[in-house]
Amino acid sequence: MSRPVPILTRLYVWSIVFEPLLFFSLFSQSVTGIGGSVSRLLQFMVVAWMLAILALAIGPKAARIRFVHLASPLYRNYRIYFVLAIIAGVLGAASGAFSVDAAYDTTGASMVSRFLNSGAVRPLFEYLIAAYYFIYFAILPQFFLSSRASLDYFFRAFRTMFIACLVIGAVDLAAASVGIAFLPRVFFEFGRTYVGARFHGLAGEPRDAFVYVFFALALLHLRAFHRSERLNRWWGMTVVTAAALTQSASGIVGLMIFVGLYAAHTLPVIGPKRVLQLAVVLVVVSVVTYETVVNSQRLMPVGCSSWCA
């Protein structure tokens, strides 16, 4: 019988499951300088719990605490990225890129928000955020998701929320199609900002939903691999349909870039059968993309915009 998943691990799992679901943003960064969401509240609880464990650990308990070794070869590429980011920041500061007067809109913002989002502080604050995100989302999973039970719990939680996102998104799209404003982009925009007849579910804006559904498909593939199963093809069809219904121009451009890079990387190392399969996928993606564009009033409005020419 497997051991139950600890409460702290459950909190951590839900904090990362809610992270891409931008609908659950509770207040904007104009309040505290950092946007507040369900995910970040859970992250705060997890970090506070970990700090409490560290502070109260004495004797044998202290010896069992595992620490993150950022000097590990596993994190070499991120260290290189971080150094390059610092160099870019120094060059940006030297060129005056952070002193643009209209860089941040402070209308209605609190004093804390104006300070954290100022041209002098925000660029430095971004380095702290980048380091935190890497540690929380890339390093901590090896401590929290180290057992089969914890991985099963994570995949179950993620799959549940993804299905909820699809179902609620479909209901919202149907309501919007008949002129009923049902689901805003984010929670704190109820009664103010809606996206119209475009799929977005619980992922925020439609362009965010486009990325989220393909991210979900990747995690469902990982779940199937973890369980030694084959992924049901209906998931792929569902994701492609949802992505098309977002009518996201940036998403379509990103998808085309991905397909091109994937083909360039894969073609030299695969056999004839896989080449044929890849060709079929490219044709399907091209047809779906074309039909999405030409049948979308947003992407291909009546009369056509200047970029259509």
Side-chain angles (χ1 to χ4, degrees):
M1 182 177 179
S2 60
R3 296 175 58 185
V5 179
I7 296 177
L8 181 57
T9 298
R10 292 171 184 259
L11 283 175
Y12 179 78
V13 164
W14 284 105
S15 72
I16 58 179
V17 167
F18 272 104
E19 176 65 20
L21 298 176
L22 302 184
F23 169 77
F24 294 100
S25 297
L26 305 179
F27 54 86
S28 70
Q29 65 179 18
S30 64
V31 179
T32 62
I34 305 174
S37 65
V38 171
S39 173
R40 289 178 181 173
L41 291 176
L42 292 173
Q43 290 173 41
F44 175 80
M45 294 172 64
V46 170
V47 172
W49 194 324
M50 292 172 61
L51 291 176
I53 292 174
L54 183 61
L56 298 175
I58 56 175
K61 291 184 178 180
R64 292 199 300 267
I65 294 178
R66 299 166 61 191
F67 290 92
V68 175
H69 298 289
L70 294 178
S72 168
L74 290 173
Y75 314 131
R76 176 177 176 272
N77 290 338
Y78 188 79
R79 291 198 299 270
I80 294 174
Y81 155 77
F82 204 81
V83 170
L84 292 175
I86 292 175
I87 294 173
V90 171
L91 294 176
S95 64
F98 302 142
S99 60
V100 180
D101 293 337
Y104 302 99
D105 182 9
T106 59
T107 304
S110 66
M111 183 179 298
V112 174
S113 178
R114 288 197 297 269
F115 172 74
L116 288 179
N117 291 318
S118 65
V121 176
R122 188 69 195 193
L124 297 175
F125 190 46
E126 286 294 332
Y127 290 111
L128 181 61
I129 293 175
Y132 166 79
Y133 265 65
F134 180 73
I135 293 172
Y136 195 90
F137 293 101
I139 296 179
L140 288 187
Q142 65 183 293
F143 298 98
F144 284 108
L145 305 181
S146 57
S147 66
R148 185 174 186 87
S150 60
L151 277 173
D152 287 339
Y153 184 82
F154 165 73
F155 284 124
R156 187 163 61 249
F158 183 87
R159 186 172 180 269
T160 298
M161 292 307 298
F162 179 52
I163 292 174
C165 179
L166 292 175
V167 172
I168 295 175
V171 172
D172 171 67
L173 182 62
S177 300
V178 294
I180 301 175
F182 174 61
L183 199 68
R185 294 181 304 180
V186 295
F187 180 81
F188 66 82
E189 289 183 345
F190 260 110
R192 290 187 291 164
T193 307
Y194 295 86
V195 301
R198 300 170 62 192
F199 177 87
H200 65 107
L202 302 174
E205 295 193 30
R207 60 186 176 186
D208 300 317
F210 189 99
V211 177
Y212 174 71
V213 294
F214 281 106
F215 169 69
L217 182 62
L219 276 184
L220 290 174
H221 268 290
L222 188 60
R223 174 180 178 271
F225 176 80
H226 171 67
R227 296 163 61 92
S228 300
E229 300 173 350
R230 291 183 62 86
L231 182 68
N232 193 315
R233 294 183 179 181
W234 283 103
W235 281 117
M237 296 176 62
T238 301
V239 164
V240 170
T241 301
L245 291 173
T246 65
Q247 302 182 55
S248 171
S250 59
I252 290 175
V253 172
L255 180 62
M256 291 189 295
I257 293 174
F258 164 76
V259 170
L261 291 175
Y262 180 78
H265 174 75
T266 305
L267 285 175
V269 296
I270 61 176
K273 182 178 179 180
R274 295 288 293 172
V275 170
L276 179 60
Q277 292 176 340
L278 182 59
V280 172
V281 171
L282 290 174
V283 170
V284 172
V285 170
S286 299
V287 171
V288 171
T289 301
Y290 175 79
E291 290 296 326
T292 299
V293 172
V294 299
N295 290 291
S296 170
Q297 293 184 355
R298 178 178 182 272
L299 299 176
M300 186 72 74
V302 177
C304 198
S305 57
S306 58
W307 63 271
C308 300

